[in-house]
Amino acid sequence: MKKVENQYVPLHRFEIFCYTVIWASGIICAVYNLLDVSSSLNNSEIPDLVPGWSWLGRRKDTCPEWKIWTTFLIFSLGPWVILHSSILLVTQYYFSKISPIRDVWFITVTSLCIAYNFGLLSVFLFFGLTLIYYCLLLFGNQFYIWITSILLLGVWSYNDSLFTIFDPSSDGEIAYLLLLTLYWHQLRCISFSLGSLDKAKSKTLPNCLHFLAYSFYLPCFFFGPIIIYKKINDANTNTTMKPLCKRLTKLIINLIRYFFWMFFTEFILHYVYINMFLQNIKVFKHFGITALSGFGFGMGQFFFIKYTFIYGTVITVATFDEYIEPPKPPKCISRIYLYSDMWRSFDRGLYNFLKEYIYRPSGYHNENVRVGTKLTRSLMCFAFIFIWHGLSWEVFLWTLFNFIGITVETLARIFGKSSYYFHYVKCNLSDLNERRFLALITSPLTMLSAISNFFFFGGIDAGLSYFEAIFLLNTWIENIIIIIIFYSMCQISIEFNHYKKSKKQ
């Protein structure tokens, strides 16, 4: 998955300005149509809408997942995280050389949090899963780890109703959160087991207490992101710590920033009815491609902000703890035009997990491998993604389209290095025209990437509705306009990426 960077070729400022106007106009037009449709439905009798903020005088859309996440994060997890970080500060300053004290505290506070929110039986569930993976180290073989992992993930996917025993109420919120947490916990168990195989093969088992402390680290326990065990080892070698005042200042500033985006999301839900559209997508697809495009853009940004708030808040606390170096928050999807960048930049922790344990397994660290080997590795990564996300049809189609996109992108990179490309394309085009040509052929893939996300975020009906609108209901002129808009987005993304890199340098 190593990215091959192309040399940056600057375009004239007026041309970039035109691309910016086209891209912004497309977004504004689509969002305006979406807001117009939402406003016309505000006073209608739709059960998916609930009373909103009184000072806005509008009804509000409901998103069960967003409500569960924010409520649990703020009210159920928040006080425990404050307790976690407060005691950790004491251990860091007075018992920094006695790591077992820190490890015991991680295990204790997380176990108490689980017991308080989910019940004592849930604590045994997570301890049992951790001990299963610790016992697998006795075999010293990654085959047993992967087979066990796939079987357990299959059990969670097809028997998720088993978790309702932890939630006697009818809403199933506890069962949902428990299942979500179990998926994240299993990734940590896999990471520790595979990262400790070398020790296990030498008949030296890793410290079980350290295993539990890593897998029970509270800020990342319920919602991720996954931080691979190798990063934990690297971080623990650093004994220097930033001043407490500086850490607190950064913590407060980042929390204010992320909670502002939570408030902004709640505000937007009064004007853009994402969940209501998803529940009635077969009806609303007849509003036309412009409103559907606005809905697609709004849905993508809503889910981006949702994950950014959860990940950003968790990462901010983990950064304050300085126990680990967490991955960066998700990159805005509106400026990602390559499939590889989407996987590399959205969930960076999951990308590191896939790269470390599936794409570059032991003995295959050389990047100069055959294209068949690269595609096989990618297929294995997406197969695991499909299993880990729950073995549903919408996830299957999402992973399938992503695998196709990655495959096409990989083959295009290889073709770009060939003598045929050099003689028939590069020699006949100037550097400026070559950049325009590459952005043009990338545009359909960018559009396919956007549509594939509709399957993942919106389900089968949302994804099929977009395919139907583009390939059956749209005219050729409408599709050409869409390609021009995505082409402009690609050019703007290239400029923005270059700006970010030059700023770092």
Side-chain angles (χ1 to χ4, degrees):
M1 282 193 212
K2 186 176 181 180
K3 185 179 177 181
V4 179
E5 298 290 350
N6 293 320
Q7 185 177 1
Y8 171 74
V9 178
L11 298 176
H12 193 277
R13 290 185 178 180
F14 179 74
E15 184 174 353
I16 296 299
F17 173 77
C18 292
Y19 293 142
T20 305
V21 171
I22 293 172
W23 175 234
S25 300
I27 292 177
I28 292 172
C29 181
V31 172
Y32 174 80
N33 278 270
L34 178 64
L35 290 173
D36 184 56
V37 173
S38 298
S39 297
S40 65
L41 299 170
N42 183 45
N43 297 320
S44 60
E45 295 298 327
I46 298 179
D48 298 305
L49 300 180
V50 298
W53 294 339
S54 58
W55 58 279
L56 286 179
R58 294 179 62 92
R59 293 203 293 167
K60 173 189 168 185
D61 191 18
T62 58
C63 179
E65 187 180 56
W66 170 252
K67 181 181 177 181
I68 293 172
W69 287 14
T70 53
T71 302
F72 181 81
L73 181 67
I74 297 172
F75 300 105
S76 300
L77 182 58
W80 289 99
V81 170
I82 294 174
L83 177 64
H84 155 89
S85 296
S86 300
I87 302 299
L88 180 60
L89 277 177
V90 176
T91 60
Q92 285 174 334
Y93 280 94
Y94 294 101
F95 307 99
S96 58
K97 296 182 179 180
I98 310 176
S99 58
I101 295 179
R102 179 200 61 196
D103 293 345
V104 169
W105 171 241
F106 285 170
I107 300 168
T108 302
V109 69
T110 304
S111 299
L112 291 173
C113 180
I114 298 170
Y116 180 81
N117 288 288
F118 298 142
L120 188 60
L121 185 60
S122 302
V123 179
F124 292 115
L125 174 66
F126 289 107
F127 267 97
L129 182 62
T130 308
L131 293 177
I132 287 175
Y133 278 90
Y134 188 80
C135 293
L136 288 173
L137 287 172
L138 296 172
F139 297 98
N141 192 323
Q142 63 177 338
F143 175 77
Y144 296 110
I145 296 174
W146 281 117
I147 288 297
T148 303
S149 302
I150 293 172
L151 290 176
L152 287 175
L153 287 171
V155 171
W156 313 146
S157 298
Y158 283 106
N159 298 279
D160 55 353
S161 59
L162 293 175
F163 296 94
T164 56
I165 63 175
F166 298 92
D167 184 15
S169 62
S170 58
D171 54 16
E173 290 186 6
I174 297 299
Y176 164 75
L177 284 170
L178 189 63
L179 182 61
L180 178 68
T181 306
L182 199 61
Y183 279 119
W184 284 112
H185 187 72
Q186 190 158 353
L187 281 189
R188 290 187 290 269
C189 291
I190 296 172
S191 178
F192 185 93
S193 300
L194 294 177
S196 304
L197 272 180
D198 291 337
K199 290 183 179 180
K201 290 178 181 178
S202 61
K203 307 301 180 182
T204 305
L205 289 179
N207 190 321
C208 186
L209 186 67
H210 184 55
F211 186 4
L212 289 169
Y214 159 68
S215 58
F216 275 68
Y217 178 61
L218 184 60
C220 303
F221 186 79
F222 294 98
F223 298 106
I226 173 66
I227 303 167
I228 62 176
Y229 180 61
K230 178 181 177 181
K231 298 288 185 181
I232 298 289
N233 285 333
D234 293 342
N236 285 340
T237 60
N238 182 18
T239 57
T240 60
M241 297 183 63
K242 296 178 182 178
L244 178 59
C245 182
K246 186 176 181 180
R247 292 161 60 189
L248 278 173
T249 302
K250 187 176 181 180
L251 173 69
I252 294 171
I253 291 174
N254 284 333
L255 287 179
I256 291 174
R257 179 160 62 100
Y258 289 119
F259 274 90
F260 164 78
W261 284 112
M262 185 192 75
F263 172 83
F264 179 77
T265 302
E266 292 288 336
F267 176 81
I268 290 298
L269 288 176
H270 289 77
Y271 291 89
V272 180
Y273 305 139
I274 300 294
N275 188 67
M276 185 267 290
F277 279 120
L278 289 177
Q279 300 301 321
N280 303 275
I281 191 67
K282 291 183 178 180
V283 175
F284 294 111
K285 69 181 180 181
H286 296 293
F287 281 102
I289 188 60
T290 308
L292 274 177
S293 298
F295 164 68
F297 178 79
M299 180 180 65
Q301 292 302 310
F302 170 72
F303 282 98
F304 163 71
I305 295 175
K306 179 174 71 173
Y307 284 99
T308 299
F309 169 72
I310 297 296
Y311 276 15
T313 306
V314 167
I315 289 170
T316 296
V317 175
T319 303
F320 172 78
D321 288 344
E322 288 199 350
Y323 166 65
I324 53 174
E325 184 180 352
K328 295 180 180 179
K331 184 178 178 180
C332 182
I333 59 176
S334 63
R335 58 183 176 90
I336 299 177
Y337 69 103
L338 294 174
Y339 269 95
S340 55
D341 276 352
M342 177 65 75
W343 283 97
R344 183 181 293 106
S345 305
F346 189 77
D347 192 332
R348 303 170 198 258
L350 183 58
Y351 170 79
N352 290 332
F353 178 92
L354 297 173
K355 182 177 67 174
E356 183 70 23
Y357 302 118
I358 301 179
Y359 190 79
R360 295 193 304 184
S362 178
Y364 293 92
H365 293 283
N366 185 11
E367 289 293 338
N368 297 320
V369 296
R370 294 179 299 177
V371 60
T373 304
K374 289 185 177 182
L375 296 181
T376 301
R377 294 179 185 180
S378 295
L379 179 62
M380 293 171 62
C381 290
F382 284 110
F384 179 78
I385 286 293
F386 169 55
I387 296 171
W388 185 67
H389 275 87
L391 296 173
S392 61
W393 275 110
E394 53 266 24
V395 174
F396 172 76
L397 292 174
W398 172 65
T399 52
L400 175 64
F401 287 130
N402 275 269
F403 174 68
I404 292 173
I406 288 288
T407 301
V408 173
E409 186 179 324
T410 302
L411 295 176
R413 290 184 184 277
I414 295 173
F415 175 73
K417 299 178 182 179
S418 66
S419 58
Y420 183 90
Y421 178 85
F422 180 80
H423 288 296
Y424 291 94
V425 179
K426 201 170 185 68
C427 289
N428 294 313
L429 294 176
S430 65
D431 291 340
L432 291 175
N433 286 331
E434 184 187 10
R435 169 176 164 170
R436 298 182 184 111
F437 169 73
L438 293 176
L440 181 62
I441 63 176
T442 303
S443 302
L445 274 182
T446 306
M447 187 168 64
L448 180 63
S449 174
I451 296 176
S452 69
N453 289 328
F454 299 151
F455 282 100
F456 182 66
F457 294 137
I460 295 288
D461 290 338
L464 292 179
S465 295
Y466 274 86
F467 268 104
E468 182 181 354
I470 290 174
F471 296 106
L472 297 179
L473 302 179
N474 273 9
T475 63
W476 280 104
I477 295 178
E478 289 174 323
N479 284 334
I480 290 174
I481 293 174
I482 293 174
I483 290 293
I484 292 174
I485 292 174
F486 274 97
Y487 168 79
S488 301
M489 173 201 169
C490 291
Q491 294 286 14
I492 295 170
S493 298
I494 293 172
E495 288 295 317
F496 192 86
N497 290 340
H498 173 70
Y499 168 76
K500 295 289 287 186
K501 291 176 183 177
S502 60
K503 189 177 180 180
K504 289 181 180 179
Q505 295 174 355

